[in-house]
Amino acid sequence: ASACPAGTTDAGTASNYRLCRLPTLISGTVTLNRIDGVVNQIPSRVDVGVDVGTWGSAPGGAAATLNIGAGALFVSDNVDTANDFLVVNRGSKLNAIGTASSPIIFTSGQNLNPAIMSEASQGQWGGIILAGRAPISNCASGSNNADGTSATCEATVEGTGNALYGGNVHADSSGTVQYVQIRYSGTEITPNNELQGLTLGGTGSGTVIDHVQVHNSSDDGIEIFGGTTNLKYLAITGADDDGLDTDVGWRGFIQFAIVIQKTIGATSDSFSTEIDSNGNEDALPRQFGRLANFTFIQTANAPAAI
């Protein structure tokens, strides 16, 4: 392609693609559709909107929407030394809507050159974080109640340092993610402080997640921190830690999922699922997640399924 779409910056070329760099803060409404020869580059941390809190009244908060069309390609900046990841802050939305024949792909910059990739490739960028305003149980201060109506219960998304999640809006929407692949993600910031492939922090039941594949995350494939989001049609392949991790008061339903454990080099505590609340299982609201129509495939070098 000869030019980048509006709202992005030309960052040169790589592997016969034009690199179109996203701004570090996406404001208002931005739409990025597939353009032949263009990849959208995620440089360091990219925020969609500024946190607006539980009632949309946080000082300085401003909601934004990032719309992504079918077939669009996003890569990390594999030249910089920063951790590259996408954060959709509370009150903002990511509408990434692909199709079965034209999925949206989020991957590493290295993945543009297949010659340097292998089945062991992982952890090359930070992944996608959706932060919502639905109830959680791990309040940074104070406590929540059984129906999650506390207005003050919130926490910081693991690996971000300051992205807040949680609230009392059960039906909150962080957008729609459909027919999306997330590849080679899962950066470790510090020990026990990692980014996953897809992280849901307090996202509500208005958030739509279906037909999503996460491949070769160096931490969890998908981790759900509280909230009320339902998910369906998931494929989680080659996660180095857990395929599907749910905790801190998640109350939702997952249907139609396949989790295939990593065949080489997985951590000793790698499982198809991890279901806990970080040692605070009695914190309110208590977790009540349900799974149906799932297949877990254990490999010879990985521990038992659950």
Side-chain angles (χ1 to χ4, degrees), residues 6-304:
T8 65
T9 303
D10 193 328
T13 60
S15 301
N16 296 319
Y17 286 97
R18 182 161 301 283
L19 301 174
C20 297
R21 185 170 295 170
L22 275 63
T24 56
L25 175 61
I26 292 175
S27 303
T29 299
V30 173
T31 299
L32 297 173
N33 292 314
R34 174 189 169 92
I35 301 175
D36 288 342
V38 160
V39 293
N40 302 286
Q41 188 180 61
I42 300 172
S44 64
R45 169 175 168 167
V46 172
D47 283 87
V48 178
V50 179
D51 179 60
V52 297
T54 302
W55 299 289
S57 58
T65 300
L66 175 58
N67 298 316
I68 301 174
L73 176 60
F74 289 75
V75 300
S76 64
D77 183 351
N78 60 302
V79 176
D80 68 6
T81 58
N83 294 308
D84 304 325
F85 57 99
L86 180 68
V87 180
V88 181
N89 288 292
R90 291 187 299 182
S92 294
K93 293 183 179 181
L94 170 64
N95 295 315
I97 304 174
T99 66
S101 60
S102 190
I104 296 165
I105 298 173
F106 290 87
T107 189
S108 64
Q110 294 93 320
N111 195 198
L112 293 179
N113 181 2
I116 64 173
M117 304 296 287
S118 73
E119 282 303 307
S121 297
Q122 62 177 27
Q124 295 175 338
W125 69 293
I128 299 173
I129 297 166
L130 303 184
R133 299 172 290 184
I136 61 175
S137 64
N138 60 325
C139 312
S141 62
S143 60
N144 213 335
N145 48 31
D147 60 2
T149 56
S150 169
T152 58
C153 185
E154 60 186 11
T156 302
V157 178
E158 180 180 78
T160 67
N162 61 3
L164 295 171
Y165 70 101
N168 61 1
V169 186
H170 291 69
D172 193 40
S173 174
S174 296
T176 298
V177 178
Q178 293 177 313
Y179 291 102
V180 168
Q181 291 182 355
I182 304 170
R183 306 175 181 172
Y184 308 113
S185 56
T187 300
E188 181 180 71
I189 308 301
T190 57
N192 299 315
N193 184 25
E194 303 95 358
L195 298 172
Q196 339 297 326
L198 175 62
T199 301
L200 304 181
T203 54
S205 60
T207 304
V208 176
I209 308 285
D210 64 69
H211 295 90
V212 172
Q213 179 182 12
V214 180
H215 180 64
N216 274 29
S217 169
S218 69
D219 195 55
D220 299 326
I222 298 176
E223 184 160 11
I224 306 173
F225 294 91
T228 56
T229 299
N230 301 317
L231 304 87
K232 60 183 179 180
Y233 300 110
L234 306 178
I236 303 172
T237 52
D240 192 49
D241 193 8
D242 305 307
L244 177 64
D245 190 343
T246 65
D247 39 35
V248 299
W250 172 63
R251 301 177 71 83
F253 182 52
I254 292 174
Q255 188 176 22
F256 309 123
I258 182 168
V259 178
I260 304 175
Q261 293 182 286
K262 194 174 184 67
T263 57
I264 54 174
T267 59
S268 61
D269 62 345
S270 169
F271 298 95
S272 291
T273 60
E274 178 180 345
I275 303 170
D276 58 30
S277 289
N278 300 330
N280 294 302
E281 280 68 35
D282 288 329
L284 300 176
R286 294 194 65 171
Q287 183 165 195
F288 182 57
R290 292 158 291 163
L291 281 70
N293 307 99
F294 58 86
T295 299
F296 295 158
I297 299 178
Q298 178 187 356
T299 66
N301 297 323

